[in-house]
Amino acid sequence: MRAALAEARAGLGAREVPVGAVVVIDDVIVGQAHNASIALVDPTAHAEVLALRAAAQKVGNYRLPGATLYATLEPCAMCCGALIQARVARVVYGAPDPKAGAIESRHRLLDDGRLNHRVEAQGGVLGAECGALLKEFFEGKRG
């Protein structure tokens, strides 16, 4: 999660919403990114999606069985869909997202038994630190 936080800080420096994500397989980071929707003019350029793309390129497979994705913010519906499509084994996230979180805050997409893949989820890891970075960003926007 510390590597995901470093990515989120890089996003903050780039004036993006400070969310970071890393993909880990066998204790090795194989993909990492921060939000880049503004820079890439791409609404799908969330940290999770970009980190999954980087990991898939590195391992040479669009499926990432055995992978864990660490994200500083609870993934949204789009990112949960990407986790399922990539066959990620586990997602660990920091802060909850009461507006768009799709793991437990707004929706429970990963609990839907009708889906063809199950992703284990754990929230709250370094949650205060992850949330503080987001709070700093949004307070700066208002001030």
Side-chain angles (χ1 to χ4, degrees), residues 2-134:
R2 295 253 176 241
L5 269 164
E7 282 292 332
R9 286 186 193 96
L12 181 64
R15 296 190 172 146
E16 298 277 356
V17 175
V19 176
V22 297
V23 178
V24 175
I25 299 175
D26 296 327
D27 296 321
V28 175
I29 294 174
V30 294
Q32 58 192 62
H34 57 76
N35 275 2
S37 294
I38 296 166
L40 297 176
V41 193
D42 180 356
T44 70
H46 289 196
E48 300 92 331
V49 170
L50 296 174
L52 288 170
R53 288 177 184 164
Q57 288 294 310
K58 183 160 189 170
V59 303
N61 193 341
Y62 71 104
R63 297 277 166 90
L64 301 167
T68 298
L69 182 132
Y70 294 86
T72 58
L73 182 65
E74 179 183 359
C76 69
M78 176 184 69
C79 292
C80 283
L83 292 166
I84 293 164
Q85 293 302 316
R87 305 298 192 264
V88 168
R90 183 171 172 238
V91 60
V92 177
Y93 64 91
D97 185 350
K99 292 188 178 197
I103 293 176
E104 65 179 341
S105 295
R106 296 290 293 171
H107 307 286
R108 299 190 72 84
L109 292 182
L110 300 183
D111 292 338
D112 190 332
R114 297 170 294 178
L115 297 172
N116 63 345
H117 178 70
R118 305 290 293 178
V119 179
E120 179 188 333
Q122 177 185 355
V125 176
L126 299 179
E129 195 171 340
C130 295
L133 195 57
L134 288 157

